[in-house]
PDB file of all heavy atoms in Angstrom:
ATOM      1  N   ASP B  47      41.403   4.405  62.278  1.00  0.00           N
ATOM      2  CA  ASP B  47      41.739   5.368  61.269  1.00  0.00           C
ATOM      3  C   ASP B  47      40.539   6.287  61.055  1.00  0.00           C
ATOM      4  O   ASP B  47      39.505   6.120  61.739  1.00  0.00           O
ATOM      5  CB  ASP B  47      42.132   4.682  59.938  1.00  0.00           C
ATOM      6  CG  ASP B  47      41.029   3.814  59.338  1.00  0.00           C
ATOM      7  OD1 ASP B  47      39.853   3.979  59.703  1.00  0.00           O
ATOM      8  OD2 ASP B  47      41.370   2.964  58.474  1.00  0.00           O
ATOM      9  N   GLU B  48      40.613   7.253  60.188  1.00  0.00           N
ATOM     10  CA  GLU B  48      39.568   8.245  60.027  1.00  0.00           C
ATOM     11  C   GLU B  48      38.204   7.615  59.638  1.00  0.00           C
ATOM     12  O   GLU B  48      37.176   7.973  60.220  1.00  0.00           O
ATOM     13  CB  GLU B  48      39.967   9.316  58.991  1.00  0.00           C
ATOM     14  CG  GLU B  48      38.985  10.423  58.867  1.00  0.00           C
ATOM     15  CD  GLU B  48      39.422  11.497  57.858  1.00  0.00           C
ATOM     16  OE1 GLU B  48      40.559  11.492  57.429  1.00  0.00           O
ATOM     17  OE2 GLU B  48      38.575  12.341  57.524  1.00  0.00           O
ATOM     18  N   ALA B  49      38.231   6.674  58.722  1.00  0.00           N
ATOM     19  CA  ALA B  49      36.973   6.052  58.302  1.00  0.00           C
ATOM     20  C   ALA B  49      36.348   5.235  59.405  1.00  0.00           C
ATOM     21  O   ALA B  49      35.116   5.305  59.625  1.00  0.00           O
ATOM     22  CB  ALA B  49      37.229   5.148  57.077  1.00  0.00           C
ATOM     23  N   ALA B  50      37.128   4.460  60.117  1.00  0.00           N
ATOM     24  CA  ALA B  50      36.592   3.633  61.215  1.00  0.00           C
ATOM     25  C   ALA B  50      36.076   4.530  62.367  1.00  0.00           C
ATOM     26  O   ALA B  50      35.068   4.274  62.928  1.00  0.00           O
ATOM     27  CB  ALA B  50      37.646   2.677  61.726  1.00  0.00           C
ATOM     28  N   PHE B  51      36.824   5.626  62.669  1.00  0.00           N
ATOM     29  CA  PHE B  51      36.388   6.559  63.707  1.00  0.00           C
ATOM     30  C   PHE B  51      35.033   7.146  63.342  1.00  0.00           C
ATOM     31  O   PHE B  51      34.121   7.188  64.149  1.00  0.00           O
ATOM     32  CB  PHE B  51      37.428   7.659  63.868  1.00  0.00           C
ATOM     33  CG  PHE B  51      36.995   8.745  64.828  1.00  0.00           C
ATOM     34  CD1 PHE B  51      36.946   8.504  66.183  1.00  0.00           C
ATOM     35  CD2 PHE B  51      36.627  10.004  64.334  1.00  0.00           C
ATOM     36  CE1 PHE B  51      36.528   9.521  67.065  1.00  0.00           C
ATOM     37  CE2 PHE B  51      36.227  10.989  65.215  1.00  0.00           C
ATOM     38  CZ  PHE B  51      36.170  10.752  66.566  1.00  0.00           C
ATOM     39  N   GLU B  52      34.886   7.573  62.106  1.00  0.00           N
ATOM     40  CA  GLU B  52      33.624   8.172  61.653  1.00  0.00           C
ATOM     41  C   GLU B  52      32.459   7.167  61.799  1.00  0.00           C
ATOM     42  O   GLU B  52      31.368   7.498  62.225  1.00  0.00           O
ATOM     43  CB  GLU B  52      33.725   8.601  60.188  1.00  0.00           C
ATOM     44  CG  GLU B  52      32.506   9.248  59.642  1.00  0.00           C
ATOM     45  CD  GLU B  52      32.087  10.530  60.365  1.00  0.00           C
ATOM     46  OE1 GLU B  52      32.965  11.284  60.784  1.00  0.00           O
ATOM     47  OE2 GLU B  52      30.855  10.781  60.496  1.00  0.00           O
ATOM     48  N   LYS B  53      32.745   5.901  61.473  1.00  0.00           N
ATOM     49  CA  LYS B  53      31.696   4.877  61.596  1.00  0.00           C
ATOM     50  C   LYS B  53      31.310   4.675  63.038  1.00  0.00           C
ATOM     51  O   LYS B  53      30.122   4.557  63.363  1.00  0.00           O
ATOM     52  CB  LYS B  53      32.158   3.541  60.967  1.00  0.00           C
ATOM     53  CG  LYS B  53      31.057   2.524  60.876  1.00  0.00           C
ATOM     54  CD  LYS B  53      31.483   1.362  59.996  1.00  0.00           C
ATOM     55  CE  LYS B  53      30.267   0.472  59.758  1.00  0.00           C
ATOM     56  NZ  LYS B  53      30.560  -0.641  58.886  1.00  0.00           N
ATOM     57  N   HIS B  54      32.281   4.621  63.930  1.00  0.00           N
ATOM     58  CA  HIS B  54      31.978   4.410  65.349  1.00  0.00           C
ATOM     59  C   HIS B  54      31.182   5.549  65.930  1.00  0.00           C
ATOM     60  O   HIS B  54      30.241   5.292  66.720  1.00  0.00           O
ATOM     61  CB  HIS B  54      33.295   4.188  66.154  1.00  0.00           C
ATOM     62  CG  HIS B  54      33.809   2.802  66.050  1.00  0.00           C
ATOM     63  ND1 HIS B  54      33.627   1.867  67.016  1.00  0.00           N
ATOM     64  CD2 HIS B  54      34.555   2.197  65.073  1.00  0.00           C
ATOM     65  CE1 HIS B  54      34.185   0.726  66.673  1.00  0.00           C
ATOM     66  NE2 HIS B  54      34.760   0.916  65.466  1.00  0.00           N
ATOM     67  N   ILE B  55      31.501   6.777  65.624  1.00  0.00           N
ATOM     68  CA  ILE B  55      30.757   7.881  66.234  1.00  0.00           C
ATOM     69  C   ILE B  55      29.404   8.122  65.522  1.00  0.00           C
ATOM     70  O   ILE B  55      28.486   8.619  66.136  1.00  0.00           O
ATOM     71  CB  ILE B  55      31.578   9.201  66.285  1.00  0.00           C
ATOM     72  CG1 ILE B  55      31.970   9.673  64.915  1.00  0.00           C
ATOM     73  CG2 ILE B  55      32.792   9.017  67.190  1.00  0.00           C
ATOM     74  CD1 ILE B  55      32.550  11.069  64.907  1.00  0.00           C
ATOM     75  N   ALA B  56      29.297   7.726  64.252  1.00  0.00           N
ATOM     76  CA  ALA B  56      28.074   7.942  63.518  1.00  0.00           C
ATOM     77  C   ALA B  56      27.034   6.819  63.726  1.00  0.00           C
ATOM     78  O   ALA B  56      25.854   7.050  63.697  1.00  0.00           O
ATOM     79  CB  ALA B  56      28.356   8.130  62.034  1.00  0.00           C
TER      80      ALA B  56
END
Side-chain angles (χ1 to χ4, degrees):
D47 61 18
E48 185 177 348
F51 174 73
E52 181 63 35
K53 188 168 190 178
H54 278 261
I55 62 169

